[in-house]
Amino acid sequence: MAKNSLAIKNLHASVEGREILKGIDLEVEKGTVHAIMGPNGSGKSTLASTLLGRSGYAATKGDVLADGKSILGMPTDKIARMGVFLSMQSPAEIGGVSFSSFLRVAHAAMTGREKPLGALEFSKLLDAEMEKMGMDKSFASRYVNEGFSGGEKKRAEILQLGLFRPKYAILDETDSGLDVDALKVVAQGINRSKGPHMGVLVITHYNRILKYLKPDFVHILVNGKIVKSGGAKLAEEIEEGGYSKYC
Ligand code: ADP
Ligand code: MG
């Protein structure tokens, strides 16, 4: 069981010397969708950053195991190569690097190839994924995220799920700022990639994306701790009543 999960064990983490995560226990098994909801500043993005070993986010206690192997303290690229994918709340812009060359190199790393696929072969693959995400082909030659609208950045993130097929996908507010149509495209993209080979941890404020994703578990994070866990119904309760009864 434990070998097929992303297991977060009593994780404490600090940012700039301040403890933000105060003991998180959560196990995301392959084939399941977990959602984390919580008020602003409760530590959701800090959890995502700590899991991926982002600099400045120091795990001070506990452990994180991907398929039974500790990933805490590993460099981010190694964590990614182990199949842990993070869609960041604010994806970075990378000037001077085209979206297609970035994806081609990342695709090789994420799928364990020694060399990237040939340009033509990869471009066919990318075209197909872009079409599924409703992205124009011209995005392939643009610089990574530069000048992309909020919704385009999020589509570009979910496109990577389809291309890389990670074992664990952590999606930090991938739904925020999306209009109804973009939300649907993004949710369908996640659903297409979902399956017994992948565990999903989706961080969100809104039940609207969860209506599409149908999470198996919903957790409420307040002040660096999971204060309540339940099923999809818990997200509906939060939508109606907010977080006040948990704060
Ligand atoms: P959420 O994603 O739940 O809204 P965050 O994890 O972004 O919350 O933030 C939790 C707390 O950690 C906040 O008080 C925030 O100011 C602090 N924090 C997060 N990242 C940093 C950072 N890089 N530098 C300083 N403080 C940070
Ligand atoms: Mg956040």
Side-chain angles (χ1 to χ4, degrees), residues 95-182:
V97 178
S98 77
F99 192 45
S100 65
S101 47
F102 164 75
L103 291 176
R104 187 156 74 104
V105 172
H107 173 262
M110 292 289 282
T111 54
R113 279 183 172 75
E114 265 182 42
K115 273 198 319 190
L117 286 178
L120 202 63
E121 195 181 343
F122 183 74
S123 142
K124 273 189 203 154
L125 195 66
L126 180 56
D127 279 356
E129 291 299 327
M130 288 206 295
E131 198 177 330
K132 287 184 206 161
M133 293 307 296
M135 294 179 81
D136 190 84
K137 279 185 187 173
S138 60
F139 278 93
S141 52
R142 288 175 58 179
Y143 293 156
V144 180
N145 287 323
E146 211 174 76
F148 288 25
S149 71
E152 286 161 354
K153 283 183 183 167
K154 303 293 179 165
R155 283 176 199 241
E157 293 287 293
I158 297 309
L159 175 144
Q160 295 173 43
L161 268 191
L163 268 184
F164 302 160
R165 305 265 158 198
K167 293 179 185 151
Y168 302 102
I170 302 158
L171 309 173
D172 192 359
E173 295 204 23
T174 303
D175 55 335
S176 63
L178 297 183
D179 62 38
V180 187
D181 296 325

Side-chain angles (χ1 to χ4, degrees), residues 40-41 43-46 89 172-173 203 205:
N40 288 323
K44 303 181 298 297
S45 294
T46 297
Q89 186 170 348
D172 192 359
E173 295 204 23
I203 295 168
H205 278 291

Side-chain angles (χ1 to χ4, degrees), residues 6 8 11-15 20-21 24 36 43-59 64 71-77 79-80 84-91 170-173 201 203 221:
L6 182 68
I8 303 165
L11 184 64
H12 291 245
S14 297
V15 183
I20 306 294
L21 301 183
I24 306 274
I36 292 188
K44 303 181 298 297
S45 294
T46 297
L47 173 63
S49 293
T50 306
L51 292 178
L52 268 291
R54 186 169 175 189
S55 69
Y57 295 79
V64 180
I71 58 170
L72 266 196
M74 273 188 186
T76 301
D77 70 296
I79 298 171
V84 184
F85 174 84
L86 169 64
S87 169
M88 286 191 283
Q89 186 170 348
S90 314
I170 302 158
L171 309 173
D172 192 359
E173 295 204 23
L201 181 59
I203 295 168
L221 184 73

Side-chain angles (χ1 to χ4, degrees), residues 171-213:
L171 309 173
D172 192 359
E173 295 204 23
T174 303
D175 55 335
S176 63
L178 297 183
D179 62 38
V180 187
D181 296 325
L183 178 75
K184 207 168 166 185
V185 171
V186 159
Q188 284 168 345
I190 299 167
N191 278 338
R192 260 198 314 277
S193 303
K194 232 166 66 174
H197 56 280
M198 184 169 85
V200 181
L201 181 59
V202 51
I203 295 168
T204 183
H205 278 291
Y206 305 106
N207 191 35
R208 52 180 204 160
I209 192 165
L210 300 181
K211 284 184 180 149
Y212 292 104
L213 300 186

Side-chain angles (χ1 to χ4, degrees), residues 217-231:
F217 303 97
V218 174
H219 311 277
I220 310 297
L221 184 73
V222 176
N223 196 16
K225 275 189 168 162
I226 291 176
V227 294
K228 172 109 183 156
S229 295

